[in-house]
Amino acid sequence: MKRRNMAALALLAVMLLTACGRAADAVVTTEEMVVPEMSSKDLLVNSLEYLLEDETGEEAGEETAQTEETEKEAVTEDDGAEDEKATVICYGKDMDSGLLEEVITAEEITPDVLLNALARHNIVPLLNTKALSMEEREEDGRKLIYLDLSGSFREYLMTMSMEAECIIMSSLVNTFTANYHADAMYIMVEGETLVTSHAAYTEALPDYTPGELMTYLTALQDGGEEDAAAPEEE
């Protein structure tokens, strides 16, 4: 009986030891599995954070590069704008009001630049009127412009009433004298004195308004050049 009990106790002890061993193995195995999983998670998080930081850095770098490029383009545009010159275009719409002014910019002020701008306001024929020549002279203490235009300008005036002709001539003279800082201007067509159905422009015209030019031309028609009193210049 005692032998059986001892045998049973011994068997129980062996079974307990075996069970403990298996539990220990399970704990170790569990620990070995948990530790790598934790490390992998940490590495994954760190990798994602690194990638996000890298992408943010790249985006910031691209934005900086774009900003610098935009600033360079703006500086280039400003430099180009500084090279352009302000140009005053004078044009009229009726006899009752004075001339209107439009300021445009151009790389260089030339007769054709002024004529093209005037054409947009119907002061000269669009695309047809060209400056054949222009000369600036100092005469009797005054700066004068001698402008020679193509024949289409005279043809254009021949279709106009006297009022419209005064608006056209006044706009043309004021635009050129303003941009070339002149006192008056002679206008010719193909090398000859400009003659229309309303007047012969033998004298240099100052910066008359359309109404002042009408008064001057009417006086010429009534009594000749000697009786035509030019409006007083301001």
Side-chain angles (χ1 to χ4, degrees):
M1 186 69 178
K2 290 181 179 179
R3 289 180 179 177
R4 289 181 180 178
N5 290 335
M6 291 180 64
L9 290 173
L11 179 59
L12 181 60
V14 171
M15 291 176 64
L16 288 173
L17 290 173
T18 302
C20 290
R22 290 177 179 175
D25 291 341
V27 171
V28 171
T29 302
T30 303
E31 290 177 356
E32 289 177 353
M33 291 176 63
V34 169
V35 171
E37 288 179 0
M38 291 294 291
S39 300
S40 299
K41 184 177 180 181
D42 291 340
L43 289 173
L44 180 61
V45 171
N46 291 337
S47 298
L48 290 174
E49 290 178 350
Y50 175 78
L51 290 174
L52 289 173
E53 289 177 358
D54 189 49
E55 290 178 358
T56 303
E58 289 180 356
E59 291 177 358
E62 291 176 358
E63 290 178 358
T64 302
Q66 291 176 355
T67 302
E68 292 177 353
E69 186 67 23
T70 302
E71 290 176 352
K72 288 180 181 179
E73 291 177 356
V75 170
T76 302
E77 291 177 358
D78 289 341
D79 291 342
E82 290 177 357
D83 293 337
E84 294 184 341
K85 298 179 180 179
T87 306
V88 179
I89 305 301
C90 304
Y91 63 98
K93 292 185 176 181
D94 53 58
M95 293 293 295
D96 298 329
S97 59
L99 296 177
L100 303 174
E101 290 187 355
E102 175 190 18
V103 178
I104 64 173
T105 56
E107 294 181 358
E108 184 180 3
I109 298 175
T110 66
D112 284 331
V113 166
L114 300 182
L115 291 173
N116 289 336
L118 287 168
R120 292 196 291 270
H121 297 285
N122 297 319
I123 300 303
V124 299
L126 184 63
L127 301 178
N128 292 328
T129 301
K130 302 295 181 183
L132 302 180
S133 66
M134 194 195 82
E135 185 179 356
E136 300 174 67
R137 300 180 187 175
E138 292 286 343
E139 296 180 5
D140 299 326
R142 296 194 307 163
K143 183 177 180 179
L144 303 179
I145 295 175
Y146 286 78
L147 179 66
D148 188 9
L149 299 175
S150 56
S152 60
F153 181 66
R154 178 172 52 210
E155 296 172 2
Y156 185 63
L157 288 178
M158 295 295 287
T159 66
M160 299 294 171
S161 64
M162 188 171 184
E163 290 80 5
E165 183 173 317
C166 288
I167 293 172
I168 290 170
M169 293 297 289
S170 177
S171 300
L172 179 65
V173 171
N174 276 268
T175 295
F176 274 79
T177 55
N179 284 282
Y180 290 100
H181 308 289
D183 298 298
M185 183 168 76
Y186 283 98
I187 300 176
M188 300 170 289
V189 171
E190 295 184 348
E192 299 179 353
T193 298
L194 172 59
V195 179
T196 69
S197 56
H198 304 294
Y201 295 91
T202 58
E203 298 295 323
L205 295 178
D207 53 353
Y208 290 154
T209 65
E212 291 171 342
L213 183 57
M214 172 69 83
T215 299
Y216 175 70
L217 295 180
T218 301
L220 283 177
Q221 290 179 344
D222 293 341
E225 292 184 7
E226 293 181 357
D227 297 332
E232 294 182 2
E233 297 183 26
E234 297 181 358

